[in-house]
Amino acid sequence: MSYPGYPPSDGYPAFPGYPPTGQESVYPPAGQYAYPAVPGGFPPSGGGTYPAAPPNAGFPGAAGYPAPGGYPASGGYPGAPQAGGMPPYPGGSGFSVPPTGPGFGGYPQQPPAQSYAGGGPAQIPGFPGGQVPSPMPGLPAAVVQCTQGTIQAAPNFDAGRDAEILRKAMKGFGTDEQAIINVVANRSNDQRQKIKAAFKTMYGKDLIKDLKSELSGNVEELILALFMPSTYYDAWSLRHAMKGAGTQESVLIEILCTRTNQEIREIVNCYKSEFGRDIEQDIRSDTSGHFERLLVSMCQGNRDENQTVDYQKAQEDAQRLYQAGEGKLGTDESCFNMVLASRSFPQLKATVEAYSRIANRDLLSSIDREFSGNVERGLKTIVQCALNRPAFFAERLYYSMKGAGTDDSTLIRIVVTRSEIDLVQIKQMFTQMYQKTLATMIASDTSGDYRKLLLAIVGQ
């Protein structure tokens, strides 16, 4: 596999701030998430119900969220702090989710696929089963679009014309950044590769080198990321997460625990062909223990992708997980690895629901109690993607900008990699979870051409 313009010999210099000095986001912040089962608004499929919580049992360690005597029928948790603008959780169940601080609970589940006019659920690449999710309870059906990405292939595309526009934007004194933004933010990744090839054919120059000479900082990182083939960008991000001193474990988790089998296999092959290295060996040398085993499992790209759910197996897996964790002294980590690394995402969703009935506790809460550090974050990422993949990325985006400073590399990576897959749904979940739009938060956290380009990709 070869990627024009990105020979490893160039070294493809590390982007400014990559890894972000002192700003590497640890996802999720240790001890900050409880993700208890949500009563009321999100009953498990198949008609099951969450058992009533025994006194003070539903939310261990989440001070302020005891549930004496079970869940209140009218929704809302006794003692839940309302200060700080805690928005009502989507679905109208009365459950309030604080967007900041400890006690963030109730990871939203991804609703089942919904049939649209014309018959059958819409098939969309990038979603488990390729199906568009139905809206969250209480959200009008019209909000969910069949088109998932904010960036679409431009109609009447002319690679030569775009190459000419970029050449004029960079020629002479100064750079017309707006002209560059207008092109790159409105072309698909495949079209950008064609522009890159046309540029070299027409002018005998490398577009990437010209862009690097004209741009700097975050806007340079963002534009170069947009011009990388998507598989190469994932492989490049993984390489830089393990290159040099230290390891960016959150990047390894974000990519390896969320991609499809085909995407992972292509990433593994690209990593080998472009960097001359074996990704599994690099993971083994940079990580250890149960976290290493989880990532090696992910690298195989062998997750079951059968979209038919076996509810009997879900019940058996839920019982197995309970006996491996909450139901015994100590934890059988290999059992968690086996189930979460091999089952399909729809199957895992059914397992999570069965687990809540067996353990009287959400699986995410049990993982919180039984694991710690990077393996905890990796296992929870898999469960979160099974429940609601767009909500997982919305949360990652939120914490890349929350507080002092911005984790620009995480912000750029997620916006770029999801821009043609499910950024529409990520934006919707972001608004529901944090009561502000993604565009609003980006606008307040960034500036200049960097802000303009991000907003052009995300859409208003």
Side-chain angles (χ1 to χ4, degrees):
M1 189 181 298
S2 144
Y3 294 98
Y6 299 99
S9 57
D10 278 3
Y12 207 69
F15 291 141
Y18 208 105
T21 309
Q23 289 187 22
E24 167 57 13
S25 89
V26 177
Y27 177 75
Q32 194 163 348
Y33 295 85
Y35 295 105
V38 182
F42 301 85
S45 60
T49 56
Y50 288 102
N56 297 324
F59 302 86
Y65 289 92
Y71 300 124
S74 59
Y77 290 99
Q82 297 300 315
M86 293 181 35
Y89 199 73
S93 66
F95 178 50
S96 291
V97 179
T100 60
F104 182 95
Y107 201 85
Q109 294 197 19
Q110 179 141 320
Q114 173 169 304
S115 293
Y116 288 79
Q123 296 295 312
I124 300 295
F127 267 85
Q131 293 181 345
V132 145
S134 66
M136 303 298 290
L139 186 66
V143 174
V144 174
Q145 304 295 323
C146 287
T147 301
Q148 305 300 303
T150 55
I151 291 182
Q152 310 297 322
N156 306 314
F157 171 67
D158 184 332
R161 182 181 61 206
D162 285 347
E164 189 175 355
I165 291 170
L166 294 177
R167 173 71 175 140
K168 286 179 180 176
M170 295 183 285
K171 192 176 181 181
F173 182 74
T175 306
D176 184 352
E177 287 88 354
Q178 189 60 53
I180 297 174
I181 291 171
N182 290 342
V183 170
V184 300
N186 294 289
R187 305 292 184 271
S188 67
N189 189 278
D190 182 63
Q191 289 175 333
R192 291 185 212 113
Q193 305 315 311
K194 291 182 170 74
I195 294 169
K196 197 164 56 178
F199 192 92
K200 184 168 281 189
T201 299
M202 293 166 67
Y203 303 112
K205 301 183 70 179
D206 188 282
L207 175 59
I208 302 305
K209 288 181 179 176
D210 276 14
L211 286 168
K212 282 159 62 177
S213 69
E214 296 290 330
L215 305 168
S216 62
N218 291 321
V219 72
E220 176 192 357
E221 176 177 351
L222 177 52
I223 285 183
L224 295 185
L226 287 165
F227 271 102
M228 288 191 201
S230 54
T231 299
Y232 180 93
Y233 185 36
D234 276 346
W236 182 91
S237 298
L238 290 169
R239 176 70 192 119
H240 279 261
M242 294 184 279
K243 191 177 181 181
T247 304
Q248 292 175 279
E249 290 88 353
S250 63
V251 177
L252 305 183
I253 292 168
E254 179 198 303
I255 294 174
L256 294 175
C257 293
T258 66
R259 302 306 193 248
T260 65
N261 286 349
Q262 181 181 345
E263 287 169 340
I264 286 175
R265 290 168 187 164
E266 289 173 352
I267 290 166
V268 169
N269 291 335
C270 176
Y271 195 94
K272 181 74 171 177
S273 64
E274 294 302 311
F275 307 116
R277 304 178 66 89
D278 184 277
I279 192 169
E280 190 174 317
Q281 288 182 2
D282 279 359
I283 286 170
R284 290 186 186 280
S285 65
D286 264 54
T287 60
S288 61
H290 298 296
F291 181 53
E292 172 196 327
R293 290 175 206 133
L294 178 65
L295 294 183
V296 169
S297 293
M298 294 296 101
C299 281
Q300 307 313 303
N302 282 330
R303 180 181 298 282
D304 179 16
E305 292 190 332
N306 182 355
Q307 299 304 297
T308 303
V309 174
D310 183 336
Y311 289 96
Q312 180 60 38
K313 181 189 277 188
Q315 185 74 18
E316 292 168 0
D317 281 347
Q319 187 66 46
R320 185 180 288 124
L321 291 172
Y322 179 72
Q323 294 299 333
E326 297 279 2
K328 65 175 286 188
L329 185 64
T331 307
D332 180 359
E333 293 88 356
S334 63
C335 177
F336 278 81
N337 194 101
M338 183 274 290
V339 172
L340 297 184
S342 62
R343 304 295 189 250
S344 72
F345 284 113
Q347 184 69 33
L348 282 177
K349 184 175 184 294
T351 302
V352 170
E353 292 163 352
Y355 186 92
S356 295
R357 295 190 289 270
I358 291 171
N360 195 24
R361 188 190 308 283
D362 188 277
L363 180 57
L364 286 162
S365 300
S366 291
I367 292 173
D368 257 338
R369 289 160 57 89
E370 299 292 324
F371 295 88
S372 62
N374 292 313
V375 68
E376 174 200 339
R377 288 187 275 276
L379 293 172
K380 286 170 71 174
T381 295
I382 295 169
V383 174
Q384 288 160 356
C385 283
L387 294 176
N388 190 328
R389 191 182 306 254
F392 164 76
F393 285 110
E395 193 174 41
R396 281 284 278 159
L397 286 169
Y398 179 78
Y399 282 97
S400 74
M401 294 179 280
K402 177 183 175 288
T406 303
D407 180 356
D408 292 293
S409 288
T410 294
L411 174 59
I412 289 168
R413 188 175 56 254
I414 294 176
V415 166
V416 170
T417 58
R418 310 313 292 185
S419 62
E420 293 181 51
I421 300 175
D422 56 0
L423 193 50
V424 168
Q425 274 64 40
I426 291 169
K427 286 165 58 181
Q428 291 171 356
M429 287 308 309
F430 192 97
T431 302
Q432 293 176 55
M433 292 165 71
Y434 303 110
Q435 302 300 290
K436 65 174 77 174
T437 67
L438 176 58
T440 299
M441 197 162 183
I442 287 173
S444 65
D445 234 57
T446 59
S447 61
D449 294 318
Y450 177 46
R451 173 199 285 164
K452 289 179 187 175
L453 181 51
L454 280 172
L455 292 176
I457 298 168
V458 168
Q460 296 301 311

